[in-house]
Amino acid sequence: MEIEAKHHPMDKYLRADRIPHIWCPGCGLGTALNCFLYALEELNIDPDNLAVVSGIGCTGRIAGYLNVDSYHTTHGRAIPFATGLKLAKPDMKVVVFSGDGDLFAIGGNHFIHAARRNMDMTVLCVNNYNYGMTGGQLAPTTPMEARTTTSPYGNLEHPFNLCHVAAASGAVYVARWTTLHVRRLKESIKEALNKKGFSFVEILSPCPTAYGRRNRSPTGLDMMKYYQEHSVIKHGIDPSEADIEIGGDIIVGKFVDIEKPTFNEMVKELIEKARK
Amino acid sequence: MRVEIKFGGYGGQGIILMGNITARAAVLYDNKNAIFTPSYGPEARGGAASSNVVISDDEIDYPYVTHPDILVVMSQGAYEKFAPLLKDGGKLIVDEDLVKLKNGEGDVAKVAATRIAEEMGKRIVANIVMLGFFTGVTKILSYEAIKKAVLAAVPERFRELNEEALERGYKKGIEWQKE
Amino acid sequence: MKMEVKFYSGNVAAAEGAIAAGCRFFAGYPITPSSEIAEYMSRRLPQVGGIFVQMEDELASMAAILGASWGGLKTMTATSGPGFSLMQENIGLGAMTETPCVVVNVQRAGPSTGMPTLVGQGDVMQSRWGSHGDYELIALSPSSPQECFDLTIRAFNLAEEYRVPTMLLMDESTAHMYEKVVVPPADKIKVVERKRPRVAPEKYLPFKPARNMVPPMACAGEGYRVHVTGLTHDERGYPQTTDPEVQEKLVRRLCDKIRKNERKMRDMEILHMDDAELALISFGISARSSKAAVNRARKKGYKVALIRLKTIWPFPEEYFEKIADDIKNFLVVEINYGQLKYEVERNVGKGRVHHLPKFGGAVHTPEEIYAKIKEVYNGN
């Protein structure tokens, strides 16, 4: 059956001529994108004043669907590209939208250093526990024992707890939600977008095609049900206590919300001083 | 005419600065071409220090000093290492208290640069005394040029001291010339 | 305003050249022998309202200067061998997305960590095709601090005009030597700015070529809502990853905008060509030794010429084809085991292209080049 839609309520933020998107049925990326678009709408963000930067991977394709200045960069390098962009255009809102492998494996060094600097940007990380686009390989977020195409006997590596990494690296805003928590996710993205400094939202998202099939959740619905059964909201908890394990609680909520000077502010002050 | 100058000594004497000031004086205040090449690598470590200057009225193609026309040494090690490189008929300038000459150098210009600096109460300016002596002996640079370059290279509160050091050395150089 | 005479090292001259060209963003990572450029920029840029940031590595430095270039600034990074290797992926992104920027590579002896404090010229080929895939970019090579200043300005101008990452291929010797640099007054320095779109956003095709095959560039926040991707893309900027025709059209243009404009990028010093039987070809520090040797050989009656390349890439193929019949022998002098040599051979034919290599860590002396000139000239 063909679904016919004249337009989407969020069309003004989308490159409608680029739709349909490339994502699989049951994938959470559409939901994640939708939450982001509603956050933009509710904050009344001018699309001409927004730049979205992404790396490589399924999530990396989000930039290409947004009708804003959008940059689809190299694998892992969205954050440093966005760093240059934001420093050159301090008045623009700069968002990095990318996946867990892109941001925390190949790009992990950039993530921790941008957080350390308190670069003024929002990083939205869609975590689907694996490399979806390349066929479901082991990621730095894959839970212990989970099966992927490169851990056929089960994962032997301890995964990153992304929120813990973000908080330890100095992020001023850290939250985690799943694509089941659409309203809370949207509100959290709004808070992150309004936050001065390095804000981070982890979005747990189903990847039934590449990950779920191999881990007893063959459909998007299975994975959403899993989120429903296992998610526990614990605002303000120390993110080091929010590890993700198969069968364990998925702790979600807002973990960090603090203030400190941003790199951009300090660069601006330095220039004012140096020019005198 | 191309003149190649090598300064040699040990680390901490300000040997690199001597080369820098000399070339800077030639370029900025005497309207000549000059190249300064500090020594990097092993030569710059382990106590031995040297710096090299080429001065010319014309364009300088090859920038390095191979056989110096003028060799200024402030340590025994530098003397032993570099004296064999000195061009035939080249001028050797030494700190006479720090370098024990072997035979056969011919016309050596000697000055007690470090002792003079110590008499001024600041051993650190021995290199500037030596630069003054070098200027007086060789006449490659004008005194005005080297003075400007020295004063531009030192912090304001040390200018008087360095100017005096330069002048003392320069006078010794002029005296040496007359002898 | 008049000319100012300065006494700069090559590294400082390159940094001052960048500022004079309008560079207002520098991202870098410390590495010998280029670190003085970063140090100098960290002090100097804020004074002119520019931004300096020390990144976590060279991958990030290169990505950051691309991002800032899309933010509308003229941008630069500086590095040496190992860092240059790390930058290659994003140099490719810069070529694909047609992002103006300048990359300074102060060459040291390699491969790998090699001799960090000593000279090399082994990155000639890497500066052309160090990233994967087919592309062309521009590489300039200065022989003096004066040229570090002048060619950095030219590198920015070419980068802006042709929307391409432009390499300044320096070497440790030129970087660390101090020499006279004449700095013209600001209003006498030619500065080129990237072409901006003149049409309304809804009519703008961000990768549709205009003059010289280069598309006008809309930067972030200007209302054009450009999509920029390293994927093969059409004139709209949209990915087209399964159509070989789109690929051909794009890659052909990316290469041709450099190849077919080679004449406008050509820059070389030519000495004593009129009656020459042997021509030396060199660049960077090696060219200074070559010049001394050529001048000496001329005095001894050898009919020797020097071709000193200031623009290495694109290689002046047309020029070499033209002189190929007039010159009996060629001698390439470079601090590597034969990189530019292959390019000369490709253009004038094998068999009469001689080579005087150095492997890094030392510069040719005029004496050894002179000896080689005699050897080649006398057919030994």
Side-chain angles (χ1 to χ4, degrees):
Chain A
M1 187 190 82
E2 292 232 338
I3 298 170
E4 205 177 305
K6 293 281 183 241
H7 55 84
H8 187 276
M10 291 296 110
D11 262 0
K12 65 173 177 175
Y13 291 112
L14 290 170
R15 298 183 191 273
D17 52 350
R18 292 273 295 134
I19 308 293
H21 57 66
I22 62 158
W23 300 316
C24 309
C27 172
L29 275 163
T31 310
L33 176 57
N34 218 26
C35 292
F36 176 61
L37 297 180
Y38 277 95
L40 295 178
E41 169 80 357
E42 288 174 23
L43 291 178
N44 203 17
I45 286 176
D46 176 4
D48 284 339
N49 199 38
L50 170 69
V52 176
V53 184
S54 60
I56 299 295
C58 295
T59 316
R61 291 304 186 92
I62 277 184
Y65 300 128
L66 290 167
N67 190 18
V68 299
D69 288 312
S70 51
Y71 302 91
H72 179 225
T73 66
T74 44
H75 200 12
R77 318 301 163 211
I79 286 177
F81 185 102
T83 296
L85 186 64
K86 175 69 186 181
L87 287 167
K89 282 277 177 192
D91 297 331
M92 283 185 88
K93 238 182 221 320
V94 174
V95 175
V96 169
F97 215 139
S98 221
D100 51 299
D102 185 76
L103 288 168
F104 288 90
I106 191 166
N109 198 34
H110 309 309
F111 181 91
I112 61 177
H113 287 281
R116 173 180 65 79
R117 272 181 206 111
N118 200 20
M119 265 307 303
D120 196 5
M121 61 171 65
T122 297
V123 176
L124 305 176
C125 175
V126 176
N127 177 4
N128 58 13
Y129 300 156
N130 81 126
Y131 288 90
M133 183 165 270
T134 47
Q137 293 82 10
L138 180 75
T141 48
T142 307
M144 291 292 280
E145 293 165 29
R147 285 171 200 273
T148 70
T149 55
T150 51
S151 60
Y153 305 105
N155 177 23
L156 313 176
E157 298 184 15
H158 302 278
F160 265 152
N161 166 346
L162 302 185
C163 289
H164 184 32
V165 172
S169 305
V172 293
Y173 182 93
V174 179
R176 174 194 287 157
W177 298 102
T178 77
T179 51
L180 180 75
H181 302 87
V182 284
R183 195 178 50 80
R184 290 185 168 96
L185 173 58
K186 179 198 72 190
E187 291 303 322
S188 201
I189 293 173
K190 281 163 68 180
E191 284 185 357
L193 287 169
N194 274 338
K195 188 79 189 172
K196 258 191 332 167
F198 191 87
S199 55
F200 175 68
V201 181
E202 176 183 6
I203 305 164
L204 297 177
S205 169
C207 177
T209 308
Y211 180 82
R213 276 194 298 136
R214 299 183 175 91
N215 292 283
R216 292 188 217 110
S217 299
T219 69
L221 188 62
D222 293 331
M223 298 190 89
M224 295 292 259
K225 275 184 181 153
Y226 182 89
Y227 293 155
Q228 189 183 28
E229 285 158 13
H230 291 82
S231 294
V232 181
I233 298 173
K234 287 187 182 174
H235 291 301
I237 193 178
D238 181 340
S240 70
E241 291 164 29
D243 284 353
I244 293 172
E245 287 163 20
I246 291 180
D249 287 347
I250 297 174
I251 295 168
V252 295
K254 179 167 84 178
F255 306 134
V256 176
D257 192 352
I258 57 172
E259 303 290 328
K260 65 181 171 188
T262 70
F263 185 68
N264 300 67
E265 289 168 340
M266 287 188 286
V267 165
K268 196 175 161 210
E269 270 175 44
L270 169 69
I271 291 173
E272 279 163 13
K273 240 188 280 170
R275 299 200 87 165
K276 270 178 199 160
Chain B
M1 211 192 66
R2 177 184 173 112
V3 181
E4 298 187 2
I5 307 161
K6 186 183 267 295
F7 297 94
Y10 49 80
Q13 280 180 315
I15 300 294
I16 304 289
L17 188 64
M18 289 171 82
N20 190 319
I21 288 174
T22 302
R24 191 178 289 270
V27 165
L28 296 182
Y29 309 115
D30 261 351
N31 198 28
K32 291 172 190 285
N33 288 313
I35 294 188
F36 158 62
T37 48
S39 283
Y40 281 77
E43 203 184 296
R45 317 240 182 279
S50 74
S51 64
N52 304 288
V53 175
V54 178
I55 299 178
S56 176
D57 292 321
D58 308 317
E59 185 195 324
I60 299 167
D61 39 36
Y62 184 65
Y64 296 105
V65 171
T66 41
H67 297 290
D69 299 280
I70 298 159
L71 173 63
V72 182
V73 285
M74 296 184 69
S75 78
Q76 189 67 25
Y79 164 69
E80 281 169 18
K81 189 171 174 189
F82 300 127
L85 301 176
L86 190 63
K87 196 175 278 177
D88 283 346
K91 164 103 16 240
L92 177 63
I93 300 175
V94 301
D95 186 316
E96 60 188 337
D97 293 345
L98 302 181
V99 176
K100 189 161 176 276
L101 291 169
K102 294 172 181 171
N103 292 326
E105 264 89 9
D107 198 13
V108 181
K110 293 179 261 186
V111 68
T114 306
R115 202 192 323 150
I116 291 170
E118 279 167 354
E119 282 164 16
M120 292 172 60
K122 288 280 177 193
R123 194 182 184 174
I124 191 97
V125 295
N127 62 339
I128 303 299
V129 175
M130 188 54 116
L131 265 187
F133 184 68
F134 155 84
T135 306
V137 167
T138 63
K139 297 282 185 184
I140 294 165
L141 298 171
S142 68
Y143 183 66
E144 273 311 299
I146 195 86
K147 190 169 104 178
K148 280 184 190 163
V150 166
L151 296 184
V154 300
E156 193 161 348
R157 64 185 194 281
F158 295 125
R159 282 198 185 146
E160 219 170 293
L161 173 74
N162 278 278
E163 194 175 342
E164 192 192 331
L166 187 75
E167 203 180 324
R168 285 200 191 194
Y170 182 69
K171 278 183 182 157
K172 290 277 183 197
I174 297 293
E175 280 169 27
W176 183 87
Q177 275 240 331
K178 285 178 185 156
E179 277 167 19
Chain C
M1 295 279 279
K2 56 179 186 144
M3 296 280 188
E4 273 190 88
V5 176
K6 301 284 189 185
F7 184 66
Y8 285 152
S9 70
N11 274 342
V12 168
E16 278 294 344
I19 304 242
C23 173
R24 291 298 177 269
F25 184 91
F26 182 99
Y29 184 80
I31 186 167
T32 304
S34 77
S35 299
E36 293 89 357
I37 298 178
E39 289 169 355
Y40 193 82
M41 287 302 244
S42 73
R43 204 164 352 121
R44 193 73 174 85
L45 267 176
Q47 297 170 355
V48 293
I51 293 153
F52 169 89
V53 58
Q54 182 169 318
M55 299 302 288
E56 51 275 13
D57 55 34
E58 289 89 347
L59 301 151
S61 305
M62 191 61 216
I65 69 166
L66 296 180
S69 183
W70 279 101
L73 297 183
K74 291 189 182 177
T75 68
M76 178 165 103
T77 187
T79 189
S80 185
F84 195 51
S85 293
L86 288 178
M87 288 179 182
Q88 292 304 325
E89 186 194 27
N90 283 317
I91 288 173
L93 179 67
M96 187 62 144
T97 56
E98 303 183 63
T99 310
C101 59
V102 172
V103 179
V104 180
N105 175 9
V106 182
Q107 293 172 97
R108 64 193 221 187
S112 191
T113 315
M115 304 170 93
T117 61
L118 297 179
V119 67
Q121 290 180 331
D123 306 346
V124 174
M125 281 300 166
Q126 189 187 22
S127 70
R128 180 184 203 180
W129 280 331
S131 197
H132 55 278
D134 243 352
Y135 63 96
E136 294 280 346
L137 39 72
I138 302 169
L140 313 180
S141 182
S143 287
S144 64
Q146 179 72 56
E147 283 186 355
C148 289
F149 181 84
D150 296 341
L151 294 189
T152 301
I153 295 172
R154 185 163 159 79
F156 272 97
N157 288 348
L158 291 170
E160 292 288 318
E161 185 157 0
Y162 293 96
R163 282 189 62 180
V164 67
T166 299
M167 312 291 114
L168 191 76
L169 203 55
M170 288 174 48
D171 51 52
E172 182 276 333
S173 299
T174 313
H176 281 155
M177 71 167 61
Y178 287 68
E179 198 173 17
K180 181 199 282 189
V181 175
V182 178
V183 177
D187 60 348
K188 291 278 184 293
I189 295 175
K190 186 191 162 202
V191 171
V192 175
E193 308 292 337
R194 63 192 72 166
K195 293 276 178 308
R196 303 297 192 142
R198 288 201 197 132
V199 296
E202 57 279 10
K203 290 197 175 143
Y204 175 56
L205 290 171
F207 293 93
K208 187 181 160 114
R211 206 171 70 88
N212 282 335
M213 291 175 261
V214 181
M217 182 171 174
C219 295
E222 294 175 352
Y224 284 88
R225 303 190 191 177
V226 177
H227 182 57
V228 176
T229 177
L231 290 169
T232 297
H233 46 272
D234 57 20
E235 291 182 345
R236 181 76 191 79
Y238 288 176
Q240 302 292 347
T241 55
T242 53
D243 185 346
E245 276 178 36
V246 177
Q247 166 77 358
E248 178 181 337
K249 194 174 168 195
L250 175 63
V251 176
R252 189 187 285 277
R253 182 175 64 74
L254 293 180
C255 292
D256 280 352
K257 76 174 176 181
I258 305 300
R259 288 183 190 176
K260 298 203 165 158
N261 288 309
E262 181 274 320
R263 205 180 253 269
K264 295 172 201 159
M265 302 165 191
R266 193 181 297 173
D267 193 4
M268 49 190 157
E269 183 189 1
I270 299 164
L271 266 185
H272 314 305
M273 270 304 268
D274 288 348
D275 60 345
E277 292 178 21
L278 167 66
L280 268 69
I281 297 149
S282 194
F283 59 95
I285 189 65
S286 311
R288 291 183 80 134
S289 304
S290 299
K291 197 172 186 178
V294 164
N295 284 334
R296 187 182 305 177
R298 272 278 161 185
K299 279 185 196 147
K300 301 277 184 187
Y302 294 96
K303 291 178 177 170
V304 190
L306 173 69
I307 302 168
R308 178 168 74 86
L309 297 183
K310 295 195 251 180
T311 299
I312 293 188
W313 306 120
F315 190 79
E317 295 188 359
E318 187 196 43
Y319 173 79
F320 276 88
E321 277 163 27
K322 214 168 63 192
I323 63 161
D325 295 335
D326 305 332
I327 304 285
K328 211 164 118 195
N329 281 298
F330 294 88
L331 171 59
V332 182
V333 181
E334 53 186 335
I335 307 176
N336 62 56
Y337 204 13
Q339 294 197 11
L340 199 66
K341 178 199 165 209
Y342 291 118
E343 197 60 20
V344 176
E345 275 181 343
R346 214 167 61 75
N347 285 281
V348 305
K350 256 180 136 169
R352 57 191 180 128
V353 179
H354 305 263
H355 195 235
L356 184 61
K358 275 255 172 210
F359 291 84
V363 175
H364 297 84
T365 62
E367 288 76 18
E368 54 194 312
I369 300 174
Y370 179 61
K372 185 76 180 176
I373 289 173
K374 285 199 290 188
E375 183 193 312
V376 173
Y377 202 91
N378 297 324
N380 299 325

